[in-house]
Amino acid sequence: MEEPVQLKQAVISTTAGAISGGISRMVTSPLDVIKIRFQVQLEPTSSWAMLPSNWSGTSKYTGMFQATKDILREEGLAGFWRGNVPALLMVMPYTAIQFTMQHKLKTFAAGSSKTEDHIRLSPYLSYVSGSLAGCAATVGSYPFDLLRTILASQGEPKVYPNMKSALVDIVRTRGFRGLYAGLLPTLVEIVPYAGLHFGTYDTFKRWTMVWNTNRFSNSSLFGTEDGLSSFQHFLCGLMSGTCAKLVCHPLDVVKKRFQIEGLQRHPRYGTRVEHHAYRNMFHAVSQILQLEGWAGLYKGIVPSTVKAAPASAVTFVAYEYTSVWLKSTLT
């Protein structure tokens, strides 16, 4: 009897994860495009960035509002959803694998597939299961992440007119291994990011549940298994996403540099990252620090943080409510 129940829960987790990931990606795509443009720009992205005096490049983007106006003027509204097809192809399997693995690992640790038993798990177990789930999801969806970065980083005129042309050029210039360029810093980033993301989310949920218990005699009135309202799920997701992004952003910048290394870039968008510019992850960090200063490792941190909070919140709220709807439908 337990096996059909676990199979049904796996289907629910996978489907709810894919749907919530797709919704979140569609909503936050404009902020993601701006973030990527900042991260791959070697020139300074703000007027106050302290860079070496011999830097001679001209900055295409110098602030979040200026970038928004430029993209809107040059590319129209569609520019804010550039690279959205591979982004959706990435985020749906990524989120599905992540939530499914997270649920499987929690079920193994708790000895039960019930949500109320998962809530009682130690925050450390939430951290570990979140990290492992994030690694599995990253490996499974990484080529789409690479294509998303390349298409979102280009403006007008386009270097790659579509996903296929970008894929062909990557395989031609780098080989099939090029589809996983930047995987190592991504995995190094995803362990603390996914761990913090899920670990802090579960911690915030526990605190909120205690607060609800003390304040309301019947917390089930919110219509969710854990007794939290949609707004409380939103706040827990928002805070967990912000915490995780602030800690892990420098590794995301390094990953983006490896992803576009040696690929074509229109001159109007600044200096391109040359082929073999970075020997490894540590060399990339030292080169960014040397040429761009500490600000280089935090390029795109403002749109990234602004995006991470609602993206995380929308993902978790959509996941919780989709799960409840699927359970009621399949029961």
Side-chain angles (χ1 to χ4, degrees):
M1 186 68 184
E2 183 69 18
E3 194 170 322
V5 172
Q6 289 185 354
L7 179 61
K8 186 176 80 170
Q9 185 58 54
V11 171
I12 290 171
S13 295
T14 303
T15 307
I19 292 172
S20 63
I23 293 171
S24 175
R25 176 60 59 184
M26 287 293 293
V27 170
T28 60
S29 180
L31 288 166
D32 201 43
V33 168
I34 295 171
K35 180 200 76 168
I36 291 172
R37 299 283 175 97
F38 283 174
Q39 289 177 320
V40 301
Q41 179 173 293
L42 301 185
E43 295 78 15
T45 56
S46 62
S47 56
W48 51 265
M50 299 300 293
L51 294 163
S53 57
N54 61 352
W55 189 274
S56 58
T58 302
S59 297
K60 169 65 176 173
Y61 302 117
T62 55
M64 191 167 163
F65 294 110
Q66 179 267 337
T68 302
K69 288 190 294 183
D70 267 22
I71 293 171
L72 187 61
R73 185 180 71 252
E74 297 170 359
E75 305 167 47
L77 274 175
F80 291 108
W81 277 268
R82 184 152 289 175
N84 201 47
V85 172
L88 286 173
L89 291 174
M90 172 202 76
V91 79
M92 294 185 78
Y94 178 93
T95 317
I97 294 169
Q98 186 180 41
F99 276 106
T100 302
M101 284 292 295
Q102 172 78 350
H103 183 82
K104 284 283 186 184
L105 292 166
K106 282 186 173 183
T107 298
F108 175 78
S112 168
S113 61
K114 295 180 179 178
T115 303
E116 54 267 29
D117 293 325
H118 293 180
I119 292 294
R120 300 189 187 100
L121 286 175
S122 160
Y124 301 107
L125 285 173
S126 292
Y127 181 93
V128 172
S129 61
S131 299
L132 293 174
C135 287
T138 297
V139 173
S141 60
Y142 191 80
F144 293 117
D145 184 24
L146 181 83
L147 290 167
R148 182 275 310 257
T149 297
I150 292 168
L151 293 178
S153 65
Q154 64 175 2
E156 290 290 349
K158 294 178 182 178
V159 176
Y160 303 108
N162 51 49
M163 191 167 65
K164 180 182 176 182
S165 64
L167 178 64
V168 169
D169 190 54
I170 292 167
V171 174
R172 182 180 59 81
T173 57
R174 298 177 177 177
F176 283 101
R177 288 182 60 186
L179 294 174
Y180 283 88
L183 180 62
L184 179 59
T186 305
L187 291 176
V188 173
E189 174 201 6
I190 205 65
V191 171
Y193 181 79
L196 282 169
H197 200 186
F198 280 97
T200 54
Y201 180 69
D202 285 345
T203 299
F204 289 134
K205 275 179 70 173
R206 268 191 293 273
W207 291 347
T208 308
M209 287 170 68
V210 171
W211 186 82
N212 281 351
T213 302
N214 293 334
R215 180 158 183 177
F216 305 108
S217 58
N218 180 22
S219 59
S220 63
L221 55 88
F222 292 126
T224 54
E225 288 186 77
D226 52 20
L228 272 64
S229 69
S230 58
F231 183 67
Q232 287 173 333
H233 279 298
F234 181 88
L235 287 179
C236 290
L238 186 148
M239 290 185 290
S240 67
T242 303
C243 291
K245 183 54 69 177
L246 287 173
V247 172
C248 303
H249 187 80
L251 284 169
D252 192 42
V253 172
V254 173
K255 176 186 82 170
K256 293 295 191 294
R257 297 296 176 85
F258 275 111
Q259 287 181 326
I260 65 160
E261 187 182 43
L263 295 177
Q264 300 176 53
R265 183 171 172 81
H266 196 278
R268 73 185 292 181
Y269 291 93
T271 309
R272 77 169 191 165
V273 180
E274 296 297 334
H275 196 51
H276 298 310
Y278 308 120
R279 291 193 297 271
N280 51 52
M281 186 174 67
F282 299 106
H283 182 247
V285 172
S286 67
Q287 284 292 100
I288 292 171
L289 284 173
Q290 181 183 341
L291 297 174
E292 304 170 52
W294 280 99
L297 289 174
Y298 282 91
K299 282 182 175 177
I301 186 62
V302 174
S304 181
T305 304
V306 173
K307 173 218 161 191
S312 176
V314 169
T315 299
F316 279 115
V317 171
Y319 178 80
E320 299 285 356
Y321 275 84
T322 305
S323 295
V324 170
W325 176 75
L326 287 171
K327 284 177 182 176
S328 65
T329 303
L330 296 175
T331 301

